[in-house]
Amino acid sequence: MFGINTYVVYDPEMKEAAVIDPGMSRKEEFEAIEKFIDREGLTVTHLINTHLHIDHAIADNWVKEKYGVPVEAHSDDAPLGLYLARQAEMFGLRGIDVAVEIDKELKEGDIVKIGAGELKVLHVPGHSPGSICLYDRKDDFVIVGDTLFKGSIGRTDLMGGNHRQLVDAIKNKLLTLPRETMVLSGHGEKSTIGQEWDTNPYLV
């Protein structure tokens, strides 16, 4: 309902997978994720949230229960997970009675192993206190949640947001990655670190 990008990152040989930011809310969306995982013969070993705003976490409990995996996120976003229903009300959504608890805390520098692959956790606060990005050095991509978008940056007018903190974190944690690194955002199109360095008006 929020136009979010949910990612399934997987090792095509070992068939282990991570579901990142499950924002499914309609039957056909749940079915699409399930059919993809079944078709590829994947075993879900991780459920990761880049942050715990409702659009990125509304289907956490479904993934957790269906695949038997813990919710992994940064501890600074724990209060957001507990107040998903309140977040929904802020967007005018009624009748959403859901809360998400973090089962496994992720912090700066942690390595999440998915088969033979690795995602490095970068703590990039500002959109939310516990916003993280997931960097795959070998395959040259970074999943950035709502910290960075093509030509824009994340909102900072939501609970726990801080504009200056976000801009500083992007410059120190993301723009220092190789220019060719693909940027996969929580909404919208993909980009590259070099493109955002050169053209993003919020990072001048």
Side-chain angles (χ1 to χ4, degrees), residues 1-9 18-26 29 33 47-51 53-60 63 132 134 141-150 182-191:
M1 69 180 76
F2 292 97
I4 175 187
N5 296 326
T6 293
Y7 294 98
V8 179
V9 176
V19 177
I20 301 172
D21 288 349
M24 303 86 73
S25 60
R26 296 181 299 168
E29 294 169 347
I33 288 285
L47 163 56
I48 306 172
N49 285 106
T50 60
H51 62 296
H53 285 153
I54 187 166
D55 51 339
H56 291 251
I58 192 169
D60 268 22
V63 174
I132 60 171
L134 301 163
F141 70 84
V142 60
I143 296 174
V144 298
D146 287 358
T147 60
L148 180 64
F149 301 109
K150 184 176 182 179
M182 185 181 300
V183 176
L184 301 173
S185 301
H187 306 266
E189 303 175 36
K190 64 185 178 182
S191 184

Side-chain angles (χ1 to χ4, degrees), residues 8-10 17 30-42:
V8 179
V9 176
Y10 66 98
F30 288 102
E31 290 177 347
I33 288 285
E34 186 175 1
K35 286 179 180 178
F36 176 80
I37 289 170
D38 289 346
R39 185 176 70 244
E40 298 298 324
L42 304 178

Side-chain angles (χ1 to χ4, degrees), residues 105-119:
E105 296 179 359
L106 297 176
K107 61 183 184 302
E108 171 75 23
D110 281 351
I111 301 295
V112 179
K113 291 187 174 295
I114 305 169
E118 295 183 346
L119 297 176

